[in-house]
Amino acid sequence: MIDAGGSATEDQSVRVYVHGGVSGRTREARDLTYAVAAAQVSSSALGAVEAAIMKLEDDPELNAGYGAVLNVAGGLELDAGIADGSTGAVGAVAGIAVRNPIRLARAVLEHTPHVLVTGQGAARLAEELGLAPLEDTTPSQRARWQESLSGKASAGDGFGAPEQVDTVGAVALDERGRLCAGSSTGGVAGQMAGRVGDSPLFGAGFYASRAVAVIGTGVGELFIETLASLRAGHLIECGVAPQQACESTLAMLGERRADAAAGLLALDDEGRVGAAYRGDSWSLAGPEGIMDAVRLELVSRR
Ligand code: GLY
């Protein structure tokens, strides 16, 4: 196990860091090193982020891809975004139901002149690419939704409650110095149909430039209203160390919403990583294995 704030040491062609979503609920730490290993199929930061996130999307325990949460209407509306810091290109999709939304986000980046595609256009692009549709979520997510309908859900089950927030993401730096950030989510439990979170919004849920790659996790409205990923990235571009940048941006988010679980993961062009969160649990992994982030205090509203 390593602490965030460390620097790159191991010989690996692409340095990849992944996370499985912050939570305001105490959960057993999940070993996500499988996603870091899977990323090594590619020598580019872009390919590595896509490969890592596809693995996380296939993990039934994580709220993305197959394990996506249902919205209040019982629908699946997944979001994802990916940014190539070396070119400044961004691709994202919102409100779609495919098994691996990050693949579709990358296709938007590479094969269209657009940044964010939704609805029928996104569905058509997925079909053209032969991407597997997402027909249903896991039995446990369906049971969670049924409980919310029957009124048996616990007190913290309202939209935006710290227990209800998950997203997956990855940042990577390759040997050519290219940085990439990507994010994917099923959304937030209790969200209305049509709601879009921060994960497909550049600057809010993810950010990448030639100097830094950042991803956020937490209730999307908070990240959108503050452009939290951009803020953390800009601090690093101005010379602040990634760990310090994550902590100060998290402190700003805490001033705005003291009870919201939130996390930020950042990687700079020197391979320095930073990770900080507010909440009860957050699983991360990197080239050195399972990783700890600095935990800041979360003020409960109950
Ligand atoms: N961060 C995930 C969402 O708000 O949709």
Side-chain angles (χ1 to χ4, degrees), residues 4-302:
S7 59
T9 51
E10 283 194 2
D11 181 23
Q12 204 168 22
S13 58
V14 187
R15 297 195 63 78
V16 182
Y17 294 84
V18 302
H19 80 86
V22 73
S23 178
R25 178 173 36 141
T26 306
R27 292 194 297 206
E28 206 176 309
R30 195 154 179 78
D31 181 353
L32 304 178
T33 50
Y34 67 86
V36 176
Q40 296 306 316
V41 296
S42 177
S43 60
S44 79
L46 190 68
V49 162
E50 181 194 27
I53 292 181
M54 281 177 64
K55 281 287 172 193
L56 299 169
E57 289 172 338
D58 289 341
D59 185 334
E61 294 299 319
L62 303 176
N63 175 16
Y66 176 50
V69 75
L70 293 161
N71 65 24
V72 287
L76 285 162
E77 293 184 316
L78 285 64
D79 303 333
I82 192 163
D84 181 345
S86 68
T87 61
V90 178
V93 289
I96 47 121
V98 295
R99 178 97 187 200
N100 293 113
I102 198 70
R103 285 192 67 194
L104 198 52
R106 183 175 177 181
V108 170
L109 185 158
E110 289 183 322
H111 304 308
T112 80
H114 310 305
V115 168
L116 175 59
V117 178
T118 69
Q120 289 178 351
R124 204 169 303 123
L125 183 61
E127 250 180 64
E128 280 168 21
L129 293 166
L131 299 191
L134 184 64
E135 310 282 5
D136 199 358
T137 183
T138 57
S140 68
Q141 286 287 20
R142 191 149 281 287
R144 185 181 180 188
W145 177 70
Q146 293 285 4
E147 261 186 34
S148 71
L149 289 184
S150 66
K152 286 189 204 143
S154 64
D157 278 355
F159 173 79
E163 292 84 346
Q164 301 295 61
V165 183
D166 315 274
T167 307
V168 305
V171 288
L173 172 66
D174 65 27
E175 283 190 332
R176 289 170 56 185
R178 296 174 298 194
L179 285 153
C180 179
S183 190
S184 181
T185 187
V188 174
Q191 70 180 13
M192 62 182 280
R195 177 256 183 194
V196 176
D198 59 318
S199 300
L201 299 182
F202 186 66
F206 67 112
Y207 175 75
S209 67
R210 285 173 197 260
V212 64
V214 183
I215 34 174
T217 170
V219 65
E221 282 71 4
L222 181 59
F223 283 76
I224 296 168
E225 287 176 348
T226 58
L227 291 179
S229 294
L230 169 65
R231 284 192 194 223
H234 185 59
L235 286 174
I236 297 163
E237 287 162 352
C238 291
V240 177
Q243 185 59 38
Q244 183 56 43
C246 290
E247 289 182 31
S248 10
T249 309
L250 251 291
M252 176 275 295
L253 293 177
E255 277 163 28
R256 192 173 171 96
R257 247 196 83 175
D259 63 343
L264 281 162
L265 170 63
L267 178 65
D268 75 5
D269 55 1
E270 293 174 29
R272 297 182 302 169
V273 66
Y277 72 109
R278 303 169 69 248
D280 283 334
S281 47
W282 193 25
S283 296
L284 299 113
E288 290 85 9
I290 292 173
M291 181 180 149
D292 275 340
V294 171
R295 181 172 180 263
L296 308 180
E297 195 181 340
L298 174 69
V299 181
S300 171
R301 61 179 163 190
R302 279 174 291 146

